[in-house]
Amino acid sequence: MQACKQQTTTESRTYHPRVEEALTLTKVPDVVRARFEAAYTAGLAKMQQYIDNLARAVKFYRCLRVFDPRNIRDMEAPWSSVSDLLGMKPSPDDDDDDMKQRKEKVNALLASEWHRYTQLERHGVHSHHDIDTFWRARGTLIYDAVAPYIWFPTTAALVERSFSLAGLIDAKNRQKMSPAFRATAVAMFCNGDVEERFSKE
């Protein structure tokens, strides 16, 4: 007997019971119902596109977890799994032998540093604030390779909120704001925990 495949929300053609009830009890002209069904289908297609895009991103975001030393002992992370992100492999288009040798040397050093990292027993990282310090202490070469990923934003929400708040600082309806005050306000906003980092003494 063939197993039943459960339909997802985007595959189903049924509406919520309350919507079905409203459409049934209300005398809705056929043209209005057709418009509703077209909008519903378009909405589902948009949601499916969002889900598909998110699914592709999830694998990448999970890969980024390996750059947090608190996770490394619980993850399989050979050099081959991150070499495309961190490595400096010679390109077939490189026509400079010295450049090829330099890239091969750098790539080998990065691979060695990464292997040392995966064998780590103690890291001293207790919060996400310590991660940058941890990687800086391991040397410029590996830090420069890892830095773009340890600061990679996992959501656009923070950026969107930042722009919204920045818009309040530099709103069009402000009658007066000097460049110095604007620069100070933005600096205070971007370094929000000023009170905690500077004592009154």
Side-chain angles (χ1 to χ4, degrees), residues 122-144:
R122 296 181 181 180
H123 49 70
V125 174
H126 304 290
S127 73
H128 66 278
H129 297 289
D130 302 325
I131 296 176
D132 185 73
T133 303
F134 168 84
W135 282 108
R136 284 183 184 276
R138 299 189 73 82
T140 304
L141 182 65
I142 189 70
Y143 175 78
D144 288 346

mmCIF file of all heavy atoms in Angstrom, residues 122-144:
data_model
loop_
_atom_site.group_PDB
_atom_site.id
_atom_site.type_symbol
_atom_site.label_atom_id
_atom_site.label_comp_id
_atom_site.label_asym_id
_atom_site.label_seq_id
_atom_site.Cartn_x
_atom_site.Cartn_y
_atom_site.Cartn_z
ATOM 1 N N ARG A 122 40.627 23.846 25.482
ATOM 2 C CA ARG A 122 40.136 24.985 26.273
ATOM 3 C C ARG A 122 40.149 26.231 25.391
ATOM 4 O O ARG A 122 41.036 26.412 24.571
ATOM 5 C CB ARG A 122 41.017 25.219 27.502
ATOM 6 C CG ARG A 122 41.006 24.063 28.500
ATOM 7 C CD ARG A 122 41.884 24.385 29.687
ATOM 8 N NE ARG A 122 41.904 23.290 30.646
ATOM 9 C CZ ARG A 122 42.599 23.310 31.787
ATOM 10 N NH1 ARG A 122 43.336 24.373 32.099
ATOM 11 N NH2 ARG A 122 42.561 22.281 32.604
ATOM 12 N N HIS A 123 39.139 27.077 25.589
ATOM 13 C CA HIS A 123 39.065 28.264 24.730
ATOM 14 C C HIS A 123 38.852 29.565 25.500
ATOM 15 O O HIS A 123 39.205 30.639 25.029
ATOM 16 C CB HIS A 123 37.928 28.106 23.713
ATOM 17 C CG HIS A 123 36.630 27.675 24.305
ATOM 18 N ND1 HIS A 123 35.867 28.484 25.119
ATOM 19 C CD2 HIS A 123 35.973 26.500 24.219
ATOM 20 C CE1 HIS A 123 34.778 27.845 25.494
ATOM 21 N NE2 HIS A 123 34.815 26.622 24.972
ATOM 22 N N GLY A 124 38.307 29.531 26.679
ATOM 23 C CA GLY A 124 38.107 30.751 27.464
ATOM 24 C C GLY A 124 37.032 31.665 26.915
ATOM 25 O O GLY A 124 36.977 32.841 27.276
ATOM 26 N N VAL A 125 36.186 31.166 26.049
ATOM 27 C CA VAL A 125 35.102 31.971 25.485
ATOM 28 C C VAL A 125 33.833 31.698 26.283
ATOM 29 O O VAL A 125 33.352 30.560 26.334
ATOM 30 C CB VAL A 125 34.866 31.644 23.999
ATOM 31 C CG1 VAL A 125 33.651 32.387 23.468
ATOM 32 C CG2 VAL A 125 36.101 32.008 23.188
ATOM 33 N N HIS A 126 33.297 32.733 26.919
ATOM 34 C CA HIS A 126 32.103 32.589 27.753
ATOM 35 C C HIS A 126 30.882 33.290 27.160
ATOM 36 O O HIS A 126 29.763 33.010 27.552
ATOM 37 C CB HIS A 126 32.380 33.121 29.155
ATOM 38 C CG HIS A 126 33.564 32.470 29.813
ATOM 39 N ND1 HIS A 126 33.553 31.155 30.237
ATOM 40 C CD2 HIS A 126 34.811 32.941 30.086
ATOM 41 C CE1 HIS A 126 34.727 30.841 30.768
ATOM 42 N NE2 HIS A 126 35.513 31.906 30.684
ATOM 43 N N SER A 127 31.113 34.207 26.241
ATOM 44 C CA SER A 127 29.998 34.890 25.577
ATOM 45 C C SER A 127 30.447 35.278 24.172
ATOM 46 O O SER A 127 31.628 35.159 23.827
ATOM 47 C CB SER A 127 29.573 36.143 26.346
ATOM 48 O OG SER A 127 30.530 37.187 26.188
ATOM 49 N N HIS A 128 29.490 35.742 23.364
ATOM 50 C CA HIS A 128 29.845 36.084 21.987
ATOM 51 C C HIS A 128 30.815 37.256 21.927
ATOM 52 O O HIS A 128 31.500 37.461 20.926
ATOM 53 C CB HIS A 128 28.577 36.389 21.182
ATOM 54 C CG HIS A 128 27.843 37.613 21.640
ATOM 55 N ND1 HIS A 128 26.968 37.601 22.707
ATOM 56 C CD2 HIS A 128 27.877 38.886 21.187
ATOM 57 C CE1 HIS A 128 26.490 38.810 22.884
ATOM 58 N NE2 HIS A 128 27.020 39.606 21.988
ATOM 59 N N HIS A 129 30.900 38.044 23.013
ATOM 60 C CA HIS A 129 31.835 39.172 23.030
ATOM 61 C C HIS A 129 33.291 38.686 23.034
ATOM 62 O O HIS A 129 34.190 39.429 22.640
ATOM 63 C CB HIS A 129 31.589 40.044 24.266
ATOM 64 C CG HIS A 129 30.234 40.678 24.298
ATOM 65 N ND1 HIS A 129 29.885 41.692 23.438
ATOM 66 C CD2 HIS A 129 29.148 40.429 25.062
ATOM 67 C CE1 HIS A 129 28.636 42.054 23.690
ATOM 68 N NE2 HIS A 129 28.160 41.305 24.657
ATOM 69 N N ASP A 130 33.526 37.455 23.498
ATOM 70 C CA ASP A 130 34.894 36.933 23.607
ATOM 71 C C ASP A 130 35.402 36.311 22.310
ATOM 72 O O ASP A 130 36.588 36.012 22.198
ATOM 73 C CB ASP A 130 34.963 35.870 24.715
ATOM 74 C CG ASP A 130 34.521 36.410 26.070
ATOM 75 O OD1 ASP A 130 34.803 37.601 26.335
ATOM 76 O OD2 ASP A 130 33.901 35.663 26.843
ATOM 77 N N ILE A 131 34.519 36.092 21.344
ATOM 78 C CA ILE A 131 34.913 35.360 20.141
ATOM 79 C C ILE A 131 35.950 36.132 19.334
ATOM 80 O O ILE A 131 36.939 35.566 18.859
ATOM 81 C CB ILE A 131 33.676 35.035 19.277
ATOM 82 C CG1 ILE A 131 32.747 34.094 20.048
ATOM 83 C CG2 ILE A 131 34.092 34.406 17.953
ATOM 84 C CD1 ILE A 131 31.463 33.779 19.324
ATOM 85 N N ASP A 132 35.747 37.434 19.166
ATOM 86 C CA ASP A 132 36.706 38.238 18.407
ATOM 87 C C ASP A 132 38.071 38.220 19.082
ATOM 88 O O ASP A 132 39.100 38.072 18.418
ATOM 89 C CB ASP A 132 36.196 39.678 18.276
ATOM 90 C CG ASP A 132 37.098 40.523 17.394
ATOM 91 O OD1 ASP A 132 37.074 40.330 16.163
ATOM 92 O OD2 ASP A 132 37.836 41.381 17.929
ATOM 93 N N THR A 133 38.102 38.355 20.398
ATOM 94 C CA THR A 133 39.369 38.323 21.143
ATOM 95 C C THR A 133 40.062 36.981 20.966
ATOM 96 O O THR A 133 41.292 36.915 20.784
ATOM 97 C CB THR A 133 39.100 38.574 22.639
ATOM 98 O OG1 THR A 133 38.427 39.830 22.798
ATOM 99 C CG2 THR A 133 40.404 38.595 23.422
ATOM 100 N N PHE A 134 39.286 35.908 21.010
ATOM 101 C CA PHE A 134 39.844 34.567 20.844
ATOM 102 C C PHE A 134 40.551 34.425 19.497
ATOM 103 O O PHE A 134 41.694 33.960 19.429
ATOM 104 C CB PHE A 134 38.722 33.529 20.953
ATOM 105 C CG PHE A 134 39.121 32.155 20.513
ATOM 106 C CD1 PHE A 134 39.763 31.289 21.383
ATOM 107 C CD2 PHE A 134 38.876 31.727 19.215
ATOM 108 C CE1 PHE A 134 40.138 30.020 20.973
ATOM 109 C CE2 PHE A 134 39.251 30.453 18.793
ATOM 110 C CZ PHE A 134 39.887 29.603 19.673
ATOM 111 N N TRP A 135 39.893 34.838 18.412
ATOM 112 C CA TRP A 135 40.479 34.663 17.084
ATOM 113 C C TRP A 135 41.649 35.612 16.853
ATOM 114 O O TRP A 135 42.622 35.261 16.181
ATOM 115 C CB TRP A 135 39.416 34.854 16.007
ATOM 116 C CG TRP A 135 38.533 33.658 15.861
ATOM 117 C CD1 TRP A 135 37.229 33.534 16.250
ATOM 118 C CD2 TRP A 135 38.900 32.385 15.318
ATOM 119 N NE1 TRP A 135 36.760 32.281 15.977
ATOM 120 C CE2 TRP A 135 37.762 31.545 15.405
ATOM 121 C CE3 TRP A 135 40.063 31.874 14.765
ATOM 122 C CZ2 TRP A 135 37.773 30.235 14.953
ATOM 123 C CZ3 TRP A 135 40.073 30.565 14.324
ATOM 124 C CH2 TRP A 135 38.940 29.752 14.416
ATOM 125 N N ARG A 136 41.589 36.803 17.397
ATOM 126 C CA ARG A 136 42.730 37.720 17.268
ATOM 127 C C ARG A 136 43.980 37.140 17.911
ATOM 128 O O ARG A 136 45.091 37.304 17.403
ATOM 129 C CB ARG A 136 42.402 39.073 17.908
ATOM 130 C CG ARG A 136 41.480 39.956 17.093
ATOM 131 C CD ARG A 136 41.270 41.306 17.765
ATOM 132 N NE ARG A 136 40.331 42.130 17.043
ATOM 133 C CZ ARG A 136 40.641 42.906 16.005
ATOM 134 N NH1 ARG A 136 41.908 42.958 15.584
ATOM 135 N NH2 ARG A 136 39.725 43.636 15.405
ATOM 136 N N ALA A 137 43.806 36.456 19.018
ATOM 137 C CA ALA A 137 44.945 35.884 19.738
ATOM 138 C C ALA A 137 45.587 34.741 18.966
ATOM 139 O O ALA A 137 46.730 34.368 19.244
ATOM 140 C CB ALA A 137 44.494 35.390 21.117
ATOM 141 N N ARG A 138 44.900 34.189 17.975
ATOM 142 C CA ARG A 138 45.445 33.061 17.223
ATOM 143 C C ARG A 138 46.271 33.503 16.010
ATOM 144 O O ARG A 138 46.755 32.668 15.244
ATOM 145 C CB ARG A 138 44.313 32.134 16.776
ATOM 146 C CG ARG A 138 43.536 31.555 17.936
ATOM 147 C CD ARG A 138 42.573 30.479 17.509
ATOM 148 N NE ARG A 138 43.257 29.245 17.152
ATOM 149 C CZ ARG A 138 43.671 28.334 18.023
ATOM 150 N NH1 ARG A 138 43.494 28.536 19.330
ATOM 151 N NH2 ARG A 138 44.262 27.223 17.622
ATOM 152 N N GLY A 139 46.407 34.809 15.827
ATOM 153 C CA GLY A 139 47.277 35.301 14.764
ATOM 154 C C GLY A 139 46.528 35.999 13.656
ATOM 155 O O GLY A 139 45.347 35.743 13.409
ATOM 156 N N THR A 140 47.229 36.896 12.980
ATOM 157 C CA THR A 140 46.614 37.722 11.951
ATOM 158 C C THR A 140 46.106 36.908 10.771
ATOM 159 O O THR A 140 45.036 37.184 10.232
ATOM 160 C CB THR A 140 47.627 38.767 11.440
ATOM 161 O OG1 THR A 140 48.106 39.545 12.536
ATOM 162 C CG2 THR A 140 46.989 39.689 10.416
ATOM 163 N N LEU A 141 46.836 35.899 10.364
ATOM 164 C CA LEU A 141 46.479 35.131 9.168
ATOM 165 C C LEU A 141 45.108 34.480 9.308
ATOM 166 O O LEU A 141 44.215 34.670 8.483
ATOM 167 C CB LEU A 141 47.539 34.071 8.892
ATOM 168 C CG LEU A 141 47.305 33.216 7.640
ATOM 169 C CD1 LEU A 141 47.389 34.071 6.386
ATOM 170 C CD2 LEU A 141 48.325 32.077 7.578
ATOM 171 N N ILE A 142 44.933 33.698 10.383
ATOM 172 C CA ILE A 142 43.668 33.002 10.568
ATOM 173 C C ILE A 142 42.559 33.977 10.935
ATOM 174 O O ILE A 142 41.401 33.807 10.536
ATOM 175 C CB ILE A 142 43.805 31.878 11.633
ATOM 176 C CG1 ILE A 142 42.557 30.997 11.670
ATOM 177 C CG2 ILE A 142 44.104 32.459 12.994
ATOM 178 C CD1 ILE A 142 42.385 30.122 10.466
ATOM 179 N N TYR A 143 42.893 35.024 11.685
ATOM 180 C CA TYR A 143 41.863 36.012 12.068
ATOM 181 C C TYR A 143 41.306 36.721 10.842
ATOM 182 O O TYR A 143 40.085 36.894 10.709
ATOM 183 C CB TYR A 143 42.417 37.044 13.052
ATOM 184 C CG TYR A 143 41.412 38.128 13.358
ATOM 185 C CD1 TYR A 143 40.366 37.886 14.257
ATOM 186 C CD2 TYR A 143 41.484 39.375 12.739
ATOM 187 C CE1 TYR A 143 39.422 38.866 14.522
ATOM 188 C CE2 TYR A 143 40.540 40.351 12.999
ATOM 189 C CZ TYR A 143 39.516 40.096 13.893
ATOM 190 O OH TYR A 143 38.578 41.077 14.151
ATOM 191 N N ASP A 144 42.174 37.139 9.935
ATOM 192 C CA ASP A 144 41.715 37.835 8.727
ATOM 193 C C ASP A 144 40.812 36.945 7.881
ATOM 194 O O ASP A 144 39.903 37.439 7.200
ATOM 195 C CB ASP A 144 42.914 38.292 7.893
ATOM 196 C CG ASP A 144 43.651 39.461 8.530
ATOM 197 O OD1 ASP A 144 43.086 40.079 9.448
ATOM 198 O OD2 ASP A 144 44.789 39.749 8.109
#
